[in-house]
Amino acid sequence: MSPVRVLYLAGSGRSGSTLVTTVLGQVPGFFAAGELRYLWRRGILENRPCGCGSPVTDCPLWARVRADLTDADPAGIAARLAQRLRLRGLPALLRRERRGQPPVAGHPDDTHLARLYASIAEHALAGRSDGVIVDSSKLPPYGALLGSLPGIDLYVLHVVRDPRATAYSWRRRRPLDGPADDQLMSRPPVGKAALLWLVWNTATVRLWGGRRRAPGRYLRVRYEDFVADPAGVTARIAGFVGANPAELPFPTPATVRLTPTHSVAGNPSRHRTGLVDVVADTEWVGRLPTRAYAVVTGLTAVALTRFGYPLRRPTAISPATRQEG
């Protein structure tokens, strides 16, 4: 059986990964799975909406996948994943990776995780050898765990956004699954948001960045460049995983045609369908308070220039002159 090709979106939250995932899900041969690390709790236990609009347990696609996982313990897997992927375990994870060991210690749950991706490939991609599962779980330790599983052919797409923008986005009051949901997405203070941005993006580079670490398996894309040229960057991402789609879902350079996906978790924007304008969300440029701007800039300055962002507040967002991959 051919390995399952997984395009893993790594980085920090509020970096545009839901937009990128949903767009890729419109490309033939790509399946937008959403944040699969949350399938066990949000999808199966809490029965939250699939991207198609149905509760996950009522979605025909996920029903077929779940039928392949009947001996799995969703509550136990969800709880143990949370323990295995804790932030405090990151230093040990990086040490194991440097020694050539599996970054995340193995566990019997890994059999169910590997089976999950194999089942998705069978039912969502009809087992096609060139199919790609797009997993926007973002958390670097989970990506490291996936990369060590048998049968997974991992590619890492590092999606980066200006940390001042992500900190501002985290402060918005946003229901977890749309306006009717009374549960809000988390809203960390700007200082914590900045530190998480720094830790997760730095960890992503440490784990996969550089040709010696993951030759041909790591591509970095900035949110700002994606929204400036969505069709061009989408084509570049597809080529990165060896795909050459004959058609992309862009009737105009700045408009994408979205049909429902089967993403199991992520930003509520994953439910958008129809013709959608791809425009940069730059509200933060004028509305992020001066003190918050200074806090985030100070905490992330070491990485800002590395990713092509200015220290001073920009007057406009412009695409980078060069992208690293």
Side-chain angles (χ1 to χ4, degrees), residues 48-49 53 173-185 268 271:
R48 289 189 163 275
R173 295 180 63 85
R174 183 168 293 173
L176 195 59
D177 273 308
D181 195 343
D182 58 3
Q183 183 174 342
L184 297 178
M185 300 182 75
H271 297 292

PDB file of all heavy atoms in Angstrom, residues 48-49 53 173-185 268 271:
ATOM      1  N   ARG A  48     -19.091  18.405  16.854  1.00  0.00           N
ATOM      2  CA  ARG A  48     -19.161  19.748  16.280  1.00  0.00           C
ATOM      3  C   ARG A  48     -19.339  19.666  14.766  1.00  0.00           C
ATOM      4  O   ARG A  48     -19.113  18.610  14.162  1.00  0.00           O
ATOM      5  CB  ARG A  48     -17.913  20.543  16.651  1.00  0.00           C
ATOM      6  CG  ARG A  48     -17.910  20.922  18.123  1.00  0.00           C
ATOM      7  CD  ARG A  48     -16.803  21.884  18.486  1.00  0.00           C
ATOM      8  NE  ARG A  48     -17.105  22.494  19.782  1.00  0.00           N
ATOM      9  CZ  ARG A  48     -17.871  23.562  19.935  1.00  0.00           C
ATOM     10  NH1 ARG A  48     -18.390  24.157  18.873  1.00  0.00           N
ATOM     11  NH2 ARG A  48     -18.126  24.047  21.125  1.00  0.00           N
ATOM     12  N   PRO A  49     -19.719  20.780  14.124  1.00  0.00           N
ATOM     13  CA  PRO A  49     -20.008  20.724  12.684  1.00  0.00           C
ATOM     14  C   PRO A  49     -18.781  20.416  11.836  1.00  0.00           C
ATOM     15  O   PRO A  49     -17.690  20.939  12.066  1.00  0.00           O
ATOM     16  CB  PRO A  49     -20.520  22.139  12.378  1.00  0.00           C
ATOM     17  CG  PRO A  49     -20.968  22.690  13.685  1.00  0.00           C
ATOM     18  CD  PRO A  49     -20.055  22.088  14.714  1.00  0.00           C
ATOM     19  N   GLY A  53     -21.242  21.240   7.060  1.00  0.00           N
ATOM     20  CA  GLY A  53     -22.407  21.751   7.779  1.00  0.00           C
ATOM     21  C   GLY A  53     -23.065  20.734   8.684  1.00  0.00           C
ATOM     22  O   GLY A  53     -23.748  21.104   9.636  1.00  0.00           O
ATOM     23  N   ARG A 173     -13.462  38.647  19.538  1.00  0.00           N
ATOM     24  CA  ARG A 173     -14.416  37.690  20.098  1.00  0.00           C
ATOM     25  C   ARG A 173     -15.003  36.906  18.934  1.00  0.00           C
ATOM     26  O   ARG A 173     -15.735  37.451  18.118  1.00  0.00           O
ATOM     27  CB  ARG A 173     -15.518  38.408  20.882  1.00  0.00           C
ATOM     28  CG  ARG A 173     -15.002  39.138  22.121  1.00  0.00           C
ATOM     29  CD  ARG A 173     -16.144  39.830  22.863  1.00  0.00           C
ATOM     30  NE  ARG A 173     -17.130  38.876  23.360  1.00  0.00           N
ATOM     31  CZ  ARG A 173     -17.045  38.223  24.504  1.00  0.00           C
ATOM     32  NH1 ARG A 173     -16.001  38.426  25.286  1.00  0.00           N
ATOM     33  NH2 ARG A 173     -17.967  37.386  24.890  1.00  0.00           N
ATOM     34  N   ARG A 174     -14.672  35.627  18.893  1.00  0.00           N
ATOM     35  CA  ARG A 174     -15.087  34.826  17.746  1.00  0.00           C
ATOM     36  C   ARG A 174     -15.627  33.483  18.221  1.00  0.00           C
ATOM     37  O   ARG A 174     -14.917  32.716  18.883  1.00  0.00           O
ATOM     38  CB  ARG A 174     -13.892  34.614  16.810  1.00  0.00           C
ATOM     39  CG  ARG A 174     -14.204  33.859  15.543  1.00  0.00           C
ATOM     40  CD  ARG A 174     -13.039  33.975  14.573  1.00  0.00           C
ATOM     41  NE  ARG A 174     -12.878  35.338  14.099  1.00  0.00           N
ATOM     42  CZ  ARG A 174     -11.851  35.732  13.343  1.00  0.00           C
ATOM     43  NH1 ARG A 174     -10.919  34.882  12.996  1.00  0.00           N
ATOM     44  NH2 ARG A 174     -11.774  36.984  12.941  1.00  0.00           N
ATOM     45  N   PRO A 175     -16.895  33.175  17.909  1.00  0.00           N
ATOM     46  CA  PRO A 175     -17.451  31.873  18.288  1.00  0.00           C
ATOM     47  C   PRO A 175     -16.659  30.744  17.646  1.00  0.00           C
ATOM     48  O   PRO A 175     -16.147  30.875  16.532  1.00  0.00           O
ATOM     49  CB  PRO A 175     -18.888  31.930  17.752  1.00  0.00           C
ATOM     50  CG  PRO A 175     -19.185  33.386  17.617  1.00  0.00           C
ATOM     51  CD  PRO A 175     -17.892  34.028  17.237  1.00  0.00           C
ATOM     52  N   LEU A 176     -16.572  29.621  18.335  1.00  0.00           N
ATOM     53  CA  LEU A 176     -15.769  28.510  17.869  1.00  0.00           C
ATOM     54  C   LEU A 176     -16.256  27.958  16.544  1.00  0.00           C
ATOM     55  O   LEU A 176     -15.452  27.614  15.675  1.00  0.00           O
ATOM     56  CB  LEU A 176     -15.767  27.399  18.930  1.00  0.00           C
ATOM     57  CG  LEU A 176     -14.716  26.298  18.810  1.00  0.00           C
ATOM     58  CD1 LEU A 176     -13.317  26.880  18.854  1.00  0.00           C
ATOM     59  CD2 LEU A 176     -14.897  25.264  19.910  1.00  0.00           C
ATOM     60  N   ASP A 177     -17.574  27.874  16.369  1.00  0.00           N
ATOM     61  CA  ASP A 177     -18.114  27.308  15.130  1.00  0.00           C
ATOM     62  C   ASP A 177     -19.225  28.161  14.539  1.00  0.00           C
ATOM     63  O   ASP A 177     -20.276  27.659  14.157  1.00  0.00           O
ATOM     64  CB  ASP A 177     -18.626  25.885  15.365  1.00  0.00           C
ATOM     65  CG  ASP A 177     -17.531  24.845  15.208  1.00  0.00           C
ATOM     66  OD1 ASP A 177     -16.850  24.864  14.168  1.00  0.00           O
ATOM     67  OD2 ASP A 177     -17.331  24.041  16.129  1.00  0.00           O
ATOM     68  N   GLY A 178     -19.027  29.458  14.480  1.00  0.00           N
ATOM     69  CA  GLY A 178     -20.005  30.324  13.845  1.00  0.00           C
ATOM     70  C   GLY A 178     -20.883  31.061  14.833  1.00  0.00           C
ATOM     71  O   GLY A 178     -20.842  30.818  16.038  1.00  0.00           O
ATOM     72  N   PRO A 179     -21.714  31.994  14.334  1.00  0.00           N
ATOM     73  CA  PRO A 179     -22.488  32.901  15.191  1.00  0.00           C
ATOM     74  C   PRO A 179     -23.399  32.218  16.203  1.00  0.00           C
ATOM     75  O   PRO A 179     -23.636  32.758  17.276  1.00  0.00           O
ATOM     76  CB  PRO A 179     -23.314  33.704  14.169  1.00  0.00           C
ATOM     77  CG  PRO A 179     -22.540  33.610  12.894  1.00  0.00           C
ATOM     78  CD  PRO A 179     -21.901  32.263  12.891  1.00  0.00           C
ATOM     79  N   ALA A 180     -23.912  31.033  15.884  1.00  0.00           N
ATOM     80  CA  ALA A 180     -24.856  30.367  16.788  1.00  0.00           C
ATOM     81  C   ALA A 180     -24.162  29.648  17.939  1.00  0.00           C
ATOM     82  O   ALA A 180     -24.825  29.171  18.869  1.00  0.00           O
ATOM     83  CB  ALA A 180     -25.712  29.369  16.008  1.00  0.00           C
ATOM     84  N   ASP A 181     -22.844  29.573  17.919  1.00  0.00           N
ATOM     85  CA  ASP A 181     -22.094  28.842  18.946  1.00  0.00           C
ATOM     86  C   ASP A 181     -21.860  29.755  20.142  1.00  0.00           C
ATOM     87  O   ASP A 181     -21.367  30.874  20.001  1.00  0.00           O
ATOM     88  CB  ASP A 181     -20.765  28.379  18.354  1.00  0.00           C
ATOM     89  CG  ASP A 181     -20.083  27.317  19.207  1.00  0.00           C
ATOM     90  OD1 ASP A 181     -20.460  27.179  20.390  1.00  0.00           O
ATOM     91  OD2 ASP A 181     -19.186  26.636  18.699  1.00  0.00           O
ATOM     92  N   ASP A 182     -22.190  29.277  21.340  1.00  0.00           N
ATOM     93  CA  ASP A 182     -21.981  30.090  22.539  1.00  0.00           C
ATOM     94  C   ASP A 182     -20.593  29.886  23.148  1.00  0.00           C
ATOM     95  O   ASP A 182     -20.250  30.507  24.154  1.00  0.00           O
ATOM     96  CB  ASP A 182     -23.057  29.822  23.592  1.00  0.00           C
ATOM     97  CG  ASP A 182     -23.113  28.354  24.017  1.00  0.00           C
ATOM     98  OD1 ASP A 182     -22.274  27.562  23.526  1.00  0.00           O
ATOM     99  OD2 ASP A 182     -23.981  28.004  24.828  1.00  0.00           O
ATOM    100  N   GLN A 183     -19.786  29.004  22.553  1.00  0.00           N
ATOM    101  CA  GLN A 183     -18.413  28.806  23.024  1.00  0.00           C
ATOM    102  C   GLN A 183     -17.465  29.627  22.152  1.00  0.00           C
ATOM    103  O   GLN A 183     -17.476  29.531  20.924  1.00  0.00           O
ATOM    104  CB  GLN A 183     -18.017  27.334  22.962  1.00  0.00           C
ATOM    105  CG  GLN A 183     -16.618  27.060  23.515  1.00  0.00           C
ATOM    106  CD  GLN A 183     -16.294  25.579  23.570  1.00  0.00           C
ATOM    107  OE1 GLN A 183     -17.182  24.730  23.524  1.00  0.00           O
ATOM    108  NE2 GLN A 183     -15.007  25.254  23.655  1.00  0.00           N
ATOM    109  N   LEU A 184     -16.634  30.448  22.795  1.00  0.00           N
ATOM    110  CA  LEU A 184     -15.718  31.314  22.065  1.00  0.00           C
ATOM    111  C   LEU A 184     -14.361  30.652  21.881  1.00  0.00           C
ATOM    112  O   LEU A 184     -13.944  29.815  22.680  1.00  0.00           O
ATOM    113  CB  LEU A 184     -15.536  32.642  22.810  1.00  0.00           C
ATOM    114  CG  LEU A 184     -16.769  33.529  22.988  1.00  0.00           C
ATOM    115  CD1 LEU A 184     -16.402  34.769  23.791  1.00  0.00           C
ATOM    116  CD2 LEU A 184     -17.361  33.923  21.633  1.00  0.00           C
ATOM    117  N   MET A 185     -13.677  31.039  20.803  1.00  0.00           N
ATOM    118  CA  MET A 185     -12.297  30.648  20.630  1.00  0.00           C
ATOM    119  C   MET A 185     -11.467  31.324  21.717  1.00  0.00           C
ATOM    120  O   MET A 185     -11.848  32.374  22.246  1.00  0.00           O
ATOM    121  CB  MET A 185     -11.790  31.058  19.243  1.00  0.00           C
ATOM    122  CG  MET A 185     -12.570  30.437  18.096  1.00  0.00           C
ATOM    123  SD  MET A 185     -11.911  30.888  16.460  1.00  0.00           S
ATOM    124  CE  MET A 185     -10.442  29.850  16.399  1.00  0.00           C
ATOM    125  N   PRO A 268     -13.894  29.422  12.179  1.00  0.00           N
ATOM    126  CA  PRO A 268     -15.238  29.280  11.596  1.00  0.00           C
ATOM    127  C   PRO A 268     -15.331  29.720  10.146  1.00  0.00           C
ATOM    128  O   PRO A 268     -16.301  29.389   9.446  1.00  0.00           O
ATOM    129  CB  PRO A 268     -16.123  30.147  12.506  1.00  0.00           C
ATOM    130  CG  PRO A 268     -15.186  31.023  13.270  1.00  0.00           C
ATOM    131  CD  PRO A 268     -13.911  30.252  13.408  1.00  0.00           C
ATOM    132  N   HIS A 271     -16.354  27.486   7.004  1.00  0.00           N
ATOM    133  CA  HIS A 271     -17.703  27.213   6.509  1.00  0.00           C
ATOM    134  C   HIS A 271     -18.106  28.115   5.338  1.00  0.00           C
ATOM    135  O   HIS A 271     -19.201  27.956   4.795  1.00  0.00           O
ATOM    136  CB  HIS A 271     -18.722  27.373   7.646  1.00  0.00           C
ATOM    137  CG  HIS A 271     -18.520  26.399   8.774  1.00  0.00           C
ATOM    138  ND1 HIS A 271     -18.740  25.047   8.643  1.00  0.00           N
ATOM    139  CD2 HIS A 271     -18.108  26.587  10.056  1.00  0.00           C
ATOM    140  CE1 HIS A 271     -18.492  24.451   9.795  1.00  0.00           C
ATOM    141  NE2 HIS A 271     -18.100  25.361  10.663  1.00  0.00           N
TER     142      HIS A 271
END
